[in-house]
Amino acid sequence: MKKAVIIVAAGSGSRMGGELPKQYLELMGKPLIMHTLERFTRFDPEMKLVVVLAPAHKKLWEQMAGSYELARGVTLANGGATRYDSVKNGLTHIDEGIITGIHDAARPLISQDTLSRSYAAAVREGSGIPVIEMDESIRMLNQQGGSVHMDRSRLKRVQTPQVFRSDRIKQAYQQAYDPAFTDDASVYESVYGPVTLVEGNRENIKITTPIDMKLASLLIDSVE
């Protein structure tokens, strides 16, 4: 089946502490978002690429596109007031019958194996959500100001891309926004029920802080 990905790149990246949005920061000689896009075109050279940008970042994109041919073949969508709105805008550029991933621009360390598992699960089951095991103890705060221990074996850390059959995720995004929608999987399951989990890769961090950038620079060449 044909594949597509919506790269959500509309955030300001304020926690990085600089003026340049994090998706345009240089990582090993090229903008971070280019590493992310290349992961997907390596997986499927025919994949449709949709990038959701904040309108204020259009000039940054155009400057970058002048240096990278891959960027010139991307379909652009306008970012919205929330991530929910941004994804919804991106989905307007996706046709029916396409297996579609929704991915954070600031995750350039997604592995080819994780992409393969996620897209294959969406073909079979309608959704494919990469997750990894919790490796630290977890406590949940209670209303009394204390906390209780939680069984970490029953918890997973969720990554992107979260992959779906396009007809289903487009339909799910027609409903009104709910604060309970913390990611695309929660939007999907509110209409279609449980999602299918697949194994992610631990290197697939979301770059948020300067420390994350340093870690990504060490890992970028080691993730297949």
Side-chain angles (χ1 to χ4, degrees):
M1 298 181 69
K2 291 184 178 180
K3 303 180 187 70
V5 63
I6 297 170
I7 303 292
V8 183
S12 64
S14 58
R15 280 177 284 181
M16 287 297 293
E19 294 183 1
L20 190 66
K22 61 187 176 184
Q23 53 268 33
Y24 301 102
L25 293 176
E26 186 173 293
L27 175 62
M28 301 299 287
K30 69 180 70 172
L32 186 155
I33 193 172
M34 289 307 304
H35 288 281
T36 304
L37 289 167
E38 288 172 354
R39 295 283 176 177
F40 285 87
T41 56
R42 178 182 170 192
F43 175 61
D44 183 350
E46 302 301 318
M47 180 177 290
K48 180 173 184 177
L49 306 174
V50 177
V51 174
V52 185
L53 297 177
H57 298 167
K58 288 290 180 64
K59 287 187 177 180
L60 284 172
W61 178 268
E62 290 169 358
Q63 292 169 1
M64 186 186 70
S67 301
Y68 296 94
E69 182 178 356
L70 174 57
R72 297 195 287 274
V74 164
T75 298
L76 298 180
N78 287 325
T82 66
R83 187 183 187 281
Y84 183 90
D85 295 321
S86 293
V87 173
K88 190 172 183 178
N89 290 347
L91 285 168
T92 65
H93 297 276
I94 302 295
D95 294 331
E96 302 290 331
I98 296 178
I99 303 301
T100 302
I102 303 171
H103 189 63
D104 301 317
R107 289 185 188 266
L109 299 172
I110 182 72
S111 74
Q112 298 298 293
D113 285 344
T114 297
L115 288 174
S116 180
R117 288 188 290 266
S118 301
Y119 276 84
V123 171
R124 297 190 312 268
E125 309 291 344
S127 64
I129 312 300
V131 299
I132 60 173
E133 302 288 340
M134 299 293 294
D135 57 3
E136 297 179 339
S137 295
I138 301 295
R139 300 192 69 84
M140 182 173 65
L141 302 181
N142 57 34
Q143 294 180 341
Q144 292 72 42
S147 64
V148 294
H149 172 263
M150 297 186 69
D151 181 1
R152 70 184 183 190
S153 68
R154 300 181 62 187
L155 300 173
K156 304 290 183 183
R157 295 175 59 185
V158 181
Q159 303 181 329
T160 68
Q162 299 183 6
V163 187
F164 310 91
R165 295 179 186 172
S166 61
D167 55 329
R168 292 190 178 188
I169 194 63
K170 284 166 70 75
Q171 181 62 40
Y173 265 92
Q174 292 307 304
Q175 61 188 313
Y177 172 75
D178 186 316
F181 297 155
T182 57
D183 62 359
D184 310 296
S186 56
V187 178
Y188 178 95
E189 70 181 349
S190 70
V191 177
Y192 294 103
V195 296
T196 300
L197 304 183
V198 301
E199 181 184 357
N201 61 292
R202 191 163 294 278
E203 303 93 340
N204 184 23
I205 60 172
K206 184 176 182 181
I207 295 179
T208 305
T209 68
I211 292 175
D212 297 330
M213 283 291 287
K214 291 180 180 179
L215 180 59
S217 68
L218 296 174
L219 295 173
I220 193 72
D221 291 329
S222 65
V223 179
E224 296 296 330

